[in-house]
Amino acid sequence: MDFSQTVFVNTNQIDWIDSPMSGVYRKPLAREEKERGHATSLVRYDAGSVFRTHPHPLGEEILVLDGVFSDEQGDFQAGSYFRNPPGSSHAPHSIDGCLLLVKLHQFKTSDLNKVYIDASNIWSSIESQVMTLYQFDAEKVWLVRIHDNQDILSQLDLASSVELFVISGQMSYGDKIIPKRGWLREPLFLLDRCSVTSDCFLWIKTGHF
């Protein structure tokens, strides 16, 4: 939770831990308190698992990485990105299981936009491209696909603070090799420290921790 520090987590090398609900597991990446406050996690729902109805006082941001995630609003397949604003609540479940990148309790109180984006086009593509998912004040969120080492990241309006998650492929930042499902939070991001060593698909957020 020290946002002045560089944090890198290879989620492939850490164990799943139990959540309060049976069949739902987490790999915490950043967490203010055990069951409340600011949190960023990789979350896995086993097939048939259900999470009780719960509120989001400062919002919830979810990227569906695999499977199908469901709640009262519908079924969300891999490539779905949505934001539930402050004050919202839901009762999520997954019939067949799913894997999610989840960020909780991180919205500004004035950010009341409810967002759902189907990113299946870029999800299934192999061509280099950028898809804007969201922007509010300084916060910007993208999906970025890099093919054949093309210089795509320089096209983004990146602030000094950058958070990224590798959905597929591999990249490097300085001396850190970031594989599939690796997470980096960098308060003083320098583009010239980045290199892409294979075709790579990224979720990137800038201007906000």
Side-chain angles (χ1 to χ4, degrees):
M1 290 299 296
D2 183 350
F3 299 125
S4 68
Q5 299 297 312
T6 299
V7 181
F8 166 60
V9 179
N10 181 350
T11 68
N12 306 291
Q13 296 179 344
I14 60 176
D15 295 330
W16 292 103
I17 63 173
D18 294 339
S19 81
M21 303 303 292
S22 176
V24 181
Y25 303 91
R26 300 181 293 208
K27 292 185 178 183
L29 306 176
R31 182 167 289 275
E32 185 176 0
E33 298 180 32
K34 185 176 180 181
E35 296 301 337
R36 60 182 297 172
H38 180 120
T40 299
S41 307
L42 201 61
V43 178
R44 187 188 89 214
Y45 279 67
D46 285 349
S49 55
V50 177
F51 209 97
R52 63 174 176 262
T53 301
H54 57 279
H56 298 295
L58 280 180
E60 174 187 54
E61 179 180 9
I62 291 180
L63 178 66
V64 182
L65 300 169
D66 193 22
V68 180
F69 174 82
S70 304
D71 64 10
E72 301 91 330
Q73 303 301 313
D75 302 320
F76 304 94
Q77 299 185 8
S80 299
Y81 172 81
F82 56 97
R83 299 172 66 97
N84 294 317
S88 62
S89 65
H90 66 161
H93 64 279
S94 183
I95 294 174
D96 297 319
C98 63
L99 181 68
L100 315 171
L101 178 66
V102 180
K103 297 178 69 63
L104 299 173
H105 214 263
Q106 298 176 38
F107 288 27
K108 292 185 176 181
T109 55
S110 56
D111 183 358
L112 300 177
N113 297 309
K114 185 173 181 62
V115 174
Y116 165 67
I117 293 177
D118 177 0
S120 55
N121 286 342
I122 190 172
W123 209 265
S124 60
S125 174
I126 61 170
E127 300 300 323
S128 295
Q129 57 183 298
V130 174
M131 181 176 186
T132 300
L133 296 176
Y134 192 67
Q135 180 173 349
F136 186 85
D137 289 344
E139 179 182 2
K140 300 173 184 176
V141 188
W142 299 278
L143 288 174
V144 180
R145 187 172 287 282
I146 304 172
H147 175 64
D148 199 25
N149 294 329
Q150 289 184 319
D151 183 15
I152 297 297
L153 294 178
S154 63
Q155 299 177 17
L156 306 180
D157 181 18
L158 294 172
S160 59
S161 59
V162 169
E163 178 183 355
L164 63 84
F165 181 84
V166 178
I167 300 168
S168 64
Q170 179 175 290
M171 67 173 293
S172 298
Y173 184 75
D175 60 356
K176 297 176 178 63
I177 297 174
I178 308 174
K180 178 180 178 179
R181 295 179 186 166
W183 177 76
L184 175 73
R185 194 182 70 199
E186 173 57 72
L188 296 172
F189 186 82
L190 298 172
L191 190 57
D192 60 8
R193 301 195 71 199
C194 285
S195 64
V196 176
T197 54
S198 69
D199 284 3
C200 193
F201 188 30
L202 308 172
W203 170 93
I204 299 179
K205 181 192 289 280
T206 192
H208 179 273
F209 283 158

